[in-house]
Amino acid sequence: MLLGACGGGGDDARGREPVISTVPALQPGFDWNQSDYAVRCKDRPVRVNVDGRSGWRVKVGRHQPKTGPFEVTQPLRADRSFRFTVTNAGDASRQFHVRCLPEDFPRYRLERYRPGGPKLTMVELGRYAVAFDRAGVPVWWFYASGDVNNAQFMGDGTFTYAPVNGYYSRDFMVHRLDGKHIRTMQAAGGLLTDVHDLTRLPNGNYMLGAHRNVKGVDTRSVGGPASATLDTAQVQELTPSGRLVWKWNAWPRIGLEQTGRWWKQLLKNGPPFDVNHWNSVDRRGNRVLLSFRHLDAVLLINRGTGRIIWKLGGRHIPQSLAVRKDPRGGYPLGGQHDARFQPNGSITVLDNATGLENEQPRALHYRIDRRRGTATMLQQIVDPQVGVSVGFASANHFPDGSWLVGWGAIGQRGIIGGYTKQGKPAFRLITPKNVSYRANPVKGNSPTLVQLRHAMDRMAAHRARSHTDDAG
């Protein structure tokens, strides 16, 4: 979703460039430095108006190139696109792309305050997985049979998501960019897949979570029954074929008392007691970083031995880090999400602050000193428009110091914000009726805008053939 600066040359240069508009209107309005646009065409032709300048030729779709002011009618349907090419007297040309949004495509609004933002960001809008560019233009989308959860590009020419049918997701779907299904990733060992996170490792393997039920646990020490069933977390590493190569069990390493303040809610809900509620995994070599909502804590574990190296937040244990320079250092996290390694060994996390005295969520950056046993807060990002976040959410920190934050469940609407390295808002993507579980930016070289355009064209062609076959 995000946009970047669309400034061009000076006023004289702008005066010499053609100006293009359409009915219905381009989203956003035409700018010489913006290559992609969306339009809500409702499966009807689009009227293209060209205010051409002397020495410029403009070719719209398959129409012949023209000079000067002119108007053409361009056929268009949902998911389809057309392009127009602008060429100057020196035969230097630039292409622009316009794609029609489906009629049921959810509403969205981008508010821009400053330049910045990742080149592409994947979000979920109901049944749509959507990639927005820096200008807030949907340049790629995928329509699923049920609601989409945790959609992201994997950097290898695929994207993944967890389909939600009703309330639950049971697995992750892996597709090519053109929508072709490649594989389904499920937890091994007959366990139910936990779809809070899926990461792809450099070796091509995947890491995900599973629900492991443990029966007959005495929970009287926390106010529960003498024999209860616990819903505990198991984290797995799987090959693309689904073969289990590593697993880590939270129980019994993490005791009942560490669930702390969440027991009041869990006892009210009844068994199986969701004592961990794992929601993210990140791996660097032999270190695995895990976030657990119902512990109010992030844990670093040793992949080889399984032991806990340190704990940030939640109930105190011998491995707990002392928190420095954090105004909420006494109890820094509340139902947090999306704990991630940074290249220099620091970590980021989105603190939802759910149920705490100060409920304003924040994106956090900590420096970890394992030798001293400390976590020093380097920065926190808050947004005056976001006062509470009861779940979901994500935080991404970039090498230039800027941030992309998905604020999660803040009500019926969603807000995804971009922030400068000083923490000032650069933009907000507002989705009035949809909340995205995460905002997942593209940080590497794949996919590119060109790849996404081609993938969209293939998906549109496939749907057109399917409709023809159905009609026949």
Side-chain angles (χ1 to χ4, degrees), residues 19 48-49 83 115 137 179 184 192 226-227 239 438:
V19 176
V48 182
N49 299 288
R83 67 186 182 188
V137 178
T184 300
L192 181 67
S227 180
T239 66
R438 284 193 177 102

Side-chain angles (χ1 to χ4, degrees), residues 29-43:
F30 178 70
D31 187 284
W32 185 250
N33 292 312
Q34 172 61 29
S35 61
D36 289 77
Y37 301 85
V39 64
R40 292 186 182 270
C41 74
K42 298 183 179 181
D43 284 340

Side-chain angles (χ1 to χ4, degrees), residues 389-413:
S389 177
V390 298
F392 309 161
S394 59
N396 284 272
H397 188 240
F398 300 98
D400 66 357
S402 63
W403 292 79
L404 174 72
V405 181
W407 291 109
I410 61 175
Q412 296 300 313
R413 67 171 182 162

Side-chain angles (χ1 to χ4, degrees), residues 178-345:
D178 63 5
K180 180 178 175 57
H181 178 254
I182 298 175
R183 65 179 69 94
T184 300
M185 296 302 301
Q186 299 174 321
L191 301 183
L192 181 67
T193 308
D194 188 329
V195 296
H196 280 93
D197 200 8
L198 178 73
T199 62
R200 183 177 179 273
L201 301 174
N203 63 6
N205 288 349
Y206 295 89
M207 296 195 77
L208 50 68
H211 293 273
R212 173 176 170 254
N213 283 354
V214 180
K215 299 180 179 180
V217 179
D218 187 348
T219 61
R220 285 176 295 181
S221 64
V222 291
S227 180
T229 299
L230 305 182
D231 177 2
T232 71
Q234 182 179 101
V235 183
Q236 301 182 352
E237 181 179 340
L238 305 171
T239 66
S241 64
R243 181 173 60 87
L244 179 68
V245 297
W246 177 83
K247 66 181 180 182
W248 183 85
N249 291 321
W251 175 267
R253 290 185 177 89
I254 299 175
L256 297 176
E257 72 285 350
Q258 293 192 52
T259 304
R261 68 186 180 98
W262 290 94
W263 269 113
K264 182 178 181 180
Q265 177 180 322
L266 300 187
L267 292 171
K268 182 179 179 180
N269 294 342
F273 298 123
D274 183 10
V275 292
N276 307 135
H277 202 97
W278 164 87
N279 59 36
S280 75
V281 58
D282 201 7
R283 177 185 164 191
R284 292 293 184 274
N286 206 38
R287 302 171 301 149
V288 181
L289 187 66
L290 303 172
S291 172
F292 297 95
R293 182 174 189 259
H294 288 173
L295 303 183
D296 292 335
V298 174
L299 274 64
L300 184 73
I301 68 168
N302 183 300
R303 185 179 182 276
T305 65
R307 71 181 182 88
I308 298 172
I309 300 173
W310 53 251
K311 179 183 181 183
L312 172 60
R315 287 289 187 91
H316 188 272
I317 63 173
Q319 298 94 332
S320 289
L321 299 171
V323 180
R324 308 297 188 207
K325 297 185 179 181
D326 185 340
R328 305 182 198 174
Y331 203 89
L333 304 176
Q336 79 295 321
H337 287 73
D338 206 37
R340 304 294 172 189
F341 288 114
Q342 299 304 300
N344 62 0

Side-chain angles (χ1 to χ4, degrees), residues 110-187:
L110 186 72
E111 297 178 354
R112 168 63 70 176
Y113 320 110
R114 297 174 178 84
K119 61 182 180 181
L120 292 165
T121 299
M122 175 87 89
V123 302
E124 305 107 44
L125 298 179
R127 292 191 170 190
Y128 285 91
V130 185
F132 288 86
D133 73 0
R134 281 197 180 103
V137 178
V139 294
W140 175 98
W141 53 85
F142 175 82
Y143 182 79
S145 58
D147 283 352
V148 173
N149 181 64
N150 203 13
Q152 58 184 319
F153 294 116
M154 285 292 170
D156 63 340
T158 67
F159 70 95
T160 63
Y161 73 98
V164 180
N165 295 303
Y167 184 74
Y168 294 102
S169 301
R170 302 294 186 189
D171 45 36
F172 284 98
M173 312 299 290
V174 184
H175 291 254
R176 289 190 329 208
L177 298 180
D178 63 5
K180 180 178 175 57
H181 178 254
I182 298 175
R183 65 179 69 94
T184 300
M185 296 302 301
Q186 299 174 321

